[in-house]
Amino acid sequence: METIERGPEPGMGLADRLEWFRCRLPPSCHLLAVSKGQPLDRLREAVHCGQRSFGESRLQEAISKQQALADLPPLDWHFIGRLQANKARAVLRKFGTIHSLDSLVLAQRLDRIAREEGLRPRVFLQVKLRPDPAKTGFSAEDLRSDWPALQALTGLDVVGLMTIAPLGLTSDQQVNLFETCRALASELGLPELSMGMSGDWPEAVQAGSTWVRLGSALF
Ligand SMILES: *Cc1c(COP(=O)(O)O)cnc(C)c1O
């Protein structure tokens, strides 16, 4: 992977950085701009450059941004943070896509609330393919055994799998991890893969990611 440029030059402005990534991502891979912690004017600038999909991990921060940006054309908001059961309804109301659904119990709760609200969110199931105390997610075995119950949840549009690579892997190990995730998704018939962040997006793209979640490399 050494020959691949991993990110734009440090001095580049946001418009050029967005363009830099757009030129390098394959057409099958979307760019999710992870805007958590970013001020509103940065989001406005990104929207001005044609970016529509934004990832946020804190509910309150996202709600205030959504209100402050209500004058813009509708944006595509993705929830990428840890999903707490008591905030499930609010997350459903504010986000069309959820990347971090990490247990069957939570999926069942989300499904019930989505049907009550007349919503049908796009959902990625978060999987944890290597031990990582800092992360949650289905193990591959749990996902396989929970899969029939997950498929029965008509209130959720389960589109794919999401994973976060643990720190400290080599490039080859990252590719291997992302390929394992792709194989699991294809075994379940799921078309989308939310994989790759600023530090490992080239490996995720190589393994077939359809959504890279870029924060620090972009903003
Ligand atoms: C913050 C975050 C990102 C973006 O991370 P960068 O390394 O800044 O690109 C992506 N995914 C999740 C789940 C995050 O919490």
Side-chain angles (χ1 to χ4, degrees):
M1 299 295 299
E2 289 76 19
T3 53
I4 292 193
E5 297 170 274
R6 307 193 68 90
E9 298 285 315
M12 253 185 216
L14 180 55
D16 291 333
R17 304 176 88 78
L18 273 166
E19 189 55 27
W20 190 95
F21 281 107
R22 286 189 188 126
C23 293
R24 282 161 182 82
L25 295 174
S28 54
C29 187
H30 306 272
L31 195 173
L32 183 65
V34 175
S35 49
K36 65 181 183 206
Q38 296 298 328
L40 286 169
D41 57 341
R42 298 291 274 166
L43 278 87
R44 284 190 182 275
E45 193 184 345
V47 173
H48 183 73
C49 299
Q51 182 66 28
R52 286 284 174 277
S53 299
F54 292 91
E56 290 280 340
S57 52
R58 282 178 292 269
L59 180 63
Q60 280 316 315
E61 178 184 340
I63 290 175
S64 54
K65 281 175 174 163
Q66 290 174 358
Q67 285 168 349
L69 299 174
D71 59 304
L72 295 173
L75 300 175
D76 173 35
W77 294 98
H78 294 230
F79 188 76
I80 61 170
R82 190 163 297 187
L83 192 56
Q84 292 168 271
N86 63 343
K87 295 193 177 148
R89 188 178 300 273
V91 167
L92 271 170
R93 287 178 176 166
K94 297 294 174 183
F95 293 86
T97 307
I98 298 170
H99 289 237
S100 42
L101 189 54
D102 60 7
S103 76
L104 177 59
V105 170
L106 197 54
Q108 288 167 331
R109 183 186 179 94
L110 208 64
D111 168 70
R112 174 177 56 76
I113 299 171
R115 285 185 287 109
E116 282 170 17
E117 298 275 333
L119 297 168
R120 192 159 182 271
R122 286 165 48 87
V123 166
F124 291 82
L125 303 172
Q126 183 170 350
V127 293
K128 185 163 83 163
L129 301 167
R130 300 284 184 277
D132 185 348
K135 296 286 176 282
T136 63
F138 290 88
S139 66
E141 307 85 82
D142 287 349
L143 184 57
R144 287 192 185 97
S145 61
D146 290 342
W147 183 237
L150 288 163
Q151 276 186 297
L153 304 177
T154 55
L156 307 180
D157 182 13
V158 179
V159 296
L161 301 183
M162 179 275 226
T163 202
I164 302 173
L167 295 174
L169 299 188
T170 65
S171 177
D172 287 346
Q173 288 169 332
Q174 288 166 347
V175 172
N176 188 275
L177 174 97
F178 292 137
E179 284 178 342
T180 304
C181 190
R182 184 185 63 191
L184 185 56
S186 87
E187 179 187 324
L188 304 176
L190 294 171
E192 304 268 357
L193 288 164
S194 170
M195 316 190 293
M197 308 180 14
S198 294
D200 56 17
W201 68 271
E203 286 78 8
V205 167
Q206 185 183 331
S209 176
T210 65
W211 282 92
V212 289
R213 308 179 308 270
L214 300 178
S216 48
L218 192 59
F219 288 106

